[in-house]
Amino acid sequence: MTEFNSLYCKGCWQQMRMPIFIRSPLSVPFRLIGVKPSRMHPNLCTVCELMFTKVKKKKQIDIQATVMFADLRGYTRLSERADSAGIARLLDKFYDECAPAIWKRDGIINKMIGDAVLSIFNFPLERQDHVRQAVLAAIEIQRQCGDMQSELSGLAGAEGPVKIGIGIHTGTASIGEFGTAYKDFTIIGSVVNKASRIQGAAESGEILISDDAYRSIREDYPDLEPRTYRLKGIDQPVAAYAVPS
Ligand SMILES: [Zn+2]
């Protein structure tokens, strides 16, 4: 990924027009004051990650974003049997494989929640086709996971296959600093909840996207048939589409 890594923080540049160097000798003065590449994305810096209010001049903002949850399946069942070191290796491998697929499409990994990766597209790196980028990242993750099937099972000492379920939704979300014990920015809103529920409805190995997400990429996949789901916490039935990987 060397050619992909930029010398300066793309987030600070897009949001504040400030060149904050994170690589090369130019980054030395910034490192001295503790500015480093972010763990959310290698082309963002810790200023973007930790100083949302300073960067945005607001505690929270509303944005258009695509949210993707990718969840490692079989983890709970596995953790009863496998040793914790094996599970840690499995989660590390999962993260290592998911991250580049997300990063190279300008998505960020906002959080790891248990055995799921929560990623955001279109913030802070803006990208008009953020839904498409999220779907392409999901396809790459599923393909890689398929290729590494025996390795993943082996890492966790699992007898059966270890698979990934992915859910994607897009819309308006609030992003910023919530609560007092915050460390970095958080995304909240019905977009996040619905993306998470859709991920829960996805079969292992499947990519399930909401109707709002499908509208943005219909031209890529004109013939997908809607499925209807009853999802916990959402009153109306939800239409979703399985994207082939
Ligand atoms: Zn930055």
Side-chain angles (χ1 to χ4, degrees), residues 141-158:
I141 290 167
Q142 288 295 17
R143 284 185 186 160
Q144 277 173 347
C145 177
D147 292 346
M148 301 187 310
Q149 200 42 253
S150 55
E151 197 185 341
L152 286 177
S153 317
L155 278 173

Side-chain angles (χ1 to χ4, degrees), residues 8-13 15-16 18 20 22 35-36 38 43-49 55:
Y8 58 89
C9 169
K10 289 189 168 172
C12 284
W13 183 251
Q15 300 180 90
M16 303 187 290
M18 265 166 59
I20 305 280
I22 47 178
V35 178
K36 302 183 293 193
S38 165
N43 289 343
L44 296 176
C45 76
T46 42
V47 173
C48 294
E49 187 182 303
V55 173

Side-chain angles (χ1 to χ4, degrees), residues 2-228:
T2 337
E3 73 288 350
F4 159 86
N5 289 339
S6 76
L7 296 183
Y8 58 89
C9 169
K10 289 189 168 172
C12 284
W13 183 251
Q14 280 192 12
Q15 300 180 90
M16 303 187 290
R17 292 283 162 217
M18 265 166 59
I20 305 280
F21 288 93
I22 47 178
R23 290 184 185 87
S24 86
L26 290 168
S27 70
V28 171
F30 295 101
R31 282 183 188 260
L32 286 175
I33 54 167
V35 178
K36 302 183 293 193
S38 165
R39 58 190 171 75
M40 292 189 191
H41 191 291
N43 289 343
L44 296 176
C45 76
T46 42
V47 173
C48 294
E49 187 182 303
L50 304 171
M51 301 174 77
F52 183 92
T53 305
K54 283 220 166 58
V55 173
K56 286 294 177 194
K57 312 272 187 278
K58 274 184 178 175
K59 253 184 125 49
Q60 289 121 26
I61 56 166
D62 286 343
I63 54 159
Q64 289 300 308
T66 300
V67 174
M68 177 173 85
F69 278 91
D71 174 66
L72 202 53
R73 297 291 171 78
Y75 171 78
T76 320
R77 190 172 46 79
L78 288 168
S79 58
E80 291 161 9
R81 219 174 331 155
D83 61 299
S84 56
I87 294 296
R89 281 195 301 274
L90 177 66
L91 283 173
D92 284 348
K93 184 79 187 163
F94 174 51
Y95 184 93
D96 290 347
E97 293 302 323
C98 287
I102 293 164
W103 289 338
K104 68 188 181 197
R105 297 180 175 89
D106 288 343
I108 61 163
I109 296 183
N110 185 229
K111 306 245 184 298
M112 282 286 279
I113 304 170
D115 47 4
V117 167
L118 159 57
S119 67
I120 306 170
F121 291 77
N122 205 34
F123 185 86
L125 300 170
E126 291 181 9
R127 189 111 186 204
Q128 274 227 309
D129 60 345
H130 48 97
V131 176
R132 177 172 289 116
Q133 296 305 320
V135 169
L136 290 173
I139 292 170
E140 188 175 328
I141 290 167
Q142 288 295 17
R143 284 185 186 160
Q144 277 173 347
C145 177
D147 292 346
M148 301 187 310
Q149 200 42 253
S150 55
E151 197 185 341
L152 286 177
S153 317
L155 278 173
E159 284 155 22
V162 174
K163 291 193 170 180
I164 295 171
I166 299 180
I168 293 173
H169 182 37
T170 190
T172 307
S174 292
I175 199 155
E177 296 174 0
F178 298 93
T180 47
Y182 93 96
K183 287 209 299 280
D184 44 32
F185 62 79
T186 301
I187 185 165
I188 63 164
S190 58
V191 173
V192 184
N193 298 336
K194 192 165 160 184
S196 167
R197 296 297 183 199
I198 289 174
Q199 179 268 115
E203 306 270 332
S204 294
E206 202 168 60
I207 301 164
L208 204 57
I209 70 172
S210 68
D211 47 355
D212 290 319
Y214 184 52
R215 259 192 293 282
S216 299
I217 59 150
R218 189 186 289 269
E219 60 191 72
D220 300 352
Y221 304 95
D223 303 320
L224 300 187
E225 293 289 335
R227 300 184 198 158
T228 308

